[in-house]
């Protein structure tokens, strides 16, 4: 059981380039999230999705886009990379709140992105 | 405005002693709290949670205490082990908001070092 898988693990982008951070989960979680973690800071929510075809903005959505065509995949798109987007990105999934689970997220191992 | 605060960036304790990690929150609507543990180059992993209807939850060496009047929670680790050395994040959510999803608000984290 792989859980939540993120690719790539590391990436260096030049300013203005674009890329897609991939996230796949095999836990059949309806809910998925993208967070970024800057040094010395907590995790900040970028976008989230409550199911295929449904996405919504989080706390820091500017400069990012997402899509959710399937339950399993939740890619994060950076269209015009900026140095301010240098961060570690975490994807996570969670079961519905009424599933009886502990409401803990399952996180991927992260993508470390540097924009130069 | 930080709604979840971990005011101690780091904590160092001796193996076998108690580790106490603290967390304060400002949003009185939060009704569910979680602790996550994060090792370098890995995603956060769920550790323990507590509902606002309780004031204590215990799981092995880990106990979380909640003081709603003070808007304060703490994580106790007894006895501390070198393998507990990691960054610990406090998180909060409004579980009973009536919506079908939930979003976690994270603190900045506390780096715990357990010395042999």
């Amino acid at each position: 059981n792989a859980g939540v898988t993120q690719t790539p693990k590391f990436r260096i982008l030049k300013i203005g380039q674009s890329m897609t951070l991939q996230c796949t989960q095999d836990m059949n979680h309806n809910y998925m999230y993208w967070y970024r973690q800057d040094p010395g800071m907590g995790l900040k929510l970028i976008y989230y999705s409550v199911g295929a075809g449904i996405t919504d903005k989080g706390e820091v959505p500017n400069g990012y886009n997402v899509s959710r065509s399937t339950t399993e995949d939740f890619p994060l798109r950076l269209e015009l990379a900026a140095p301010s987007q240098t961060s570690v990105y975490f994807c996570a999934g969670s079961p519905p709140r009424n599933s009886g689970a502990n409401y803990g997220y399952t996180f991927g191992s992260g993508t470390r992105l540097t924009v130069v | 405005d930080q709604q979840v605060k971990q005011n101690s960036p780091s904590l160092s304790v001796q193996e076998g002693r108690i580790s106490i990690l603290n967390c304060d929150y400002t949003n009185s609507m939060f009704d569910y709290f979680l602790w996550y543990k994060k090792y370098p180059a890995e995603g956060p992993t769920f550790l323990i949670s507590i509902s606002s209807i309780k004031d204590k939850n215990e799981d092995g060496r880990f106990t979380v205490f909640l003081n709603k009047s003070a808007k304060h929670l703490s994580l106790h680790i007894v006895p501390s082990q070198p393998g507990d050395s990691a960054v610990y994040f406090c998180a909060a959510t409004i579980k009973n908001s009536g919506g079908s999803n939930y979003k976690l608000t994270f603190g900045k984290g506390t780096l715990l070092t357990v010395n042999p």
Side-chain angles (χ1 to χ4, degrees), chain A residues 51-70:
Chain A
I54 306 170
T55 63
D56 207 347
K57 297 178 180 179
E59 184 182 357
V60 289
N62 292 342
Y64 307 95
N65 278 299
V66 294
S67 60
R68 186 94 182 273
S69 57
T70 66

Side-chain angles (χ1 to χ4, degrees), chain A residues 31 33 35 37 40-43 45 48 50 57-58 90 94-97 101-110 112, chain B residues 32 34 36 38 41-46 49 89 93-109:
Chain A
Y31 306 124
Y33 313 82
Y35 281 85
Q37 184 193 9
M41 303 296 288
L43 287 81
L45 182 64
Y48 66 99
V50 301
K57 297 178 180 179
F90 291 101
S94 69
R97 65 166 67 235
N102 59 31
Y103 306 105
Y105 288 8
T106 299
F107 281 89
S109 58
R112 184 174 295 273
Chain B
Y32 198 79
L34 308 91
Y36 283 80
K38 184 184 179 303
E42 294 184 11
T45 56
F46 171 76
S49 62
F89 290 101
T93 187
I94 306 171
K95 186 164 76 74
N96 294 314
S97 66
S100 60
N101 67 86
Y102 68 99
K103 293 173 282 184
L104 297 183
T105 300
F106 287 85
K108 292 184 178 182

Side-chain angles (χ1 to χ4, degrees), chain B residues 11 50-51 55 78:
Chain B
L11 174 67
I50 188 167
S51 168
D55 55 18
V78 183

Side-chain angles (χ1 to χ4, degrees), chain B residues 26-38:
Chain B
T26 58
N27 189 342
S28 58
M29 297 294 292
F30 287 145
D31 59 7
Y32 198 79
F33 305 89
L34 308 91
W35 284 93
Y36 283 80
K37 177 179 180 179
K38 184 184 179 303

